[in-house]
Amino acid sequence: MIALGCDHGGYPLMKEVIKYLEKEGIEYKNFGTFSEESCDYPVYAKLAANAVASGECDKGILICGTGIGISITANKIKGIRCALCHDCFSAKATRQHNDANMLAMGARVVGPGLAVEIVKDFLNTEFSNEERHIRRIKQIED
Ligand code: RB5
C-alpha cells in the first residue's frame, strides 16, 4: 500500500502519478489534498508520513511545488527516510543505499513523463541489504 500526499502545487502531478498506479493495479491510500485550492503542505506530508511510519503503508509518495517543503516535513517523523528525487539514478540509488521509504518530487520541477519513470524506479528497486548501508541507516536513527 502506497501512501500519497500533496499540496495544491503538487496536485496536478499527483493526478498523473495516480493514473500510473491505477494502470499498474498498485494499491494506494490518498491522504490529499484533493484540489488546486491553496493549502499547507505540512498537513498532508504528516498524514502520509505517519501512515508509513506506523506500518499502515509500505512506502509513500509526496508532491509539492518543489518537493522541498513536503520532504523536509516528512523527514521530521521518526522512521521516515524521504528522498527528494528529480532523476531516475537518485530514485534507484536511494532505494539501494538509503532504503528510502518515501519519495518526494516537485511538480514545478519535473514533468509527468519523467515523474512516472522516477516513481517506477523508486517502487521497483530493492534495498541492497549490504552491511555498510544497514549500518549507516541505523546511524541516522541513533
Ligand atoms: C506552494 O506555493 C509551495 O511553496 C509548495 O508547494 C512547496 O514548493 C514548498 O516547499
Side-chain angles (χ1 to χ4, degrees):
M1 181 70 72
I2 309 299
L4 304 181
C6 68
D7 73 354
H8 55 288
Y11 180 73
L13 183 57
M14 187 58 91
K15 285 197 286 188
E16 299 299 320
V17 169
I18 287 172
K19 268 189 219 162
Y20 166 71
L21 297 176
E22 290 185 347
K23 182 166 70 72
E24 294 299 315
I26 299 169
E27 290 194 315
Y28 63 87
K29 184 160 181 185
N30 192 353
F31 290 90
T33 190
F34 299 100
S35 79
E36 288 187 57
E37 192 179 326
S38 183
C39 65
D40 299 333
Y41 59 80
V43 172
Y44 304 97
K46 285 179 187 175
L47 287 171
N50 280 327
V52 175
S54 72
E56 180 189 349
C57 293
D58 314 298
K59 290 194 183 85
I61 300 171
L62 297 174
I63 309 178
C64 66
T66 59
I68 297 171
I70 212 156
S71 57
I72 290 173
T73 309
N75 279 315
K76 304 275 285 188
I77 291 169
K78 193 165 170 53
I80 294 300
R81 293 178 299 281
C82 181
L84 174 57
C85 299
H86 291 131
D87 65 276
C88 291
F89 173 80
S90 300
K92 284 182 207 161
T94 197
R95 287 289 309 126
Q96 290 166 338
H97 292 203
N98 316 118
D99 198 14
N101 49 15
M102 297 194 88
L103 167 69
M105 296 184 291
R108 297 171 188 158
V109 183
V110 283
L114 177 56
V116 167
E117 292 305 311
I118 291 168
V119 167
K120 279 185 202 171
D121 283 330
F122 182 78
L123 295 182
N124 295 327
T125 304
E126 294 299 319
F127 177 49
S128 68
N129 243 320
E130 288 169 22
E131 193 280 329
R132 70 184 190 285
H133 293 309
I134 294 170
R135 182 180 70 240
R136 291 165 190 163
I137 292 166
K138 196 170 170 299
Q139 286 173 19
I140 297 173
E141 297 290 343
D142 289 345

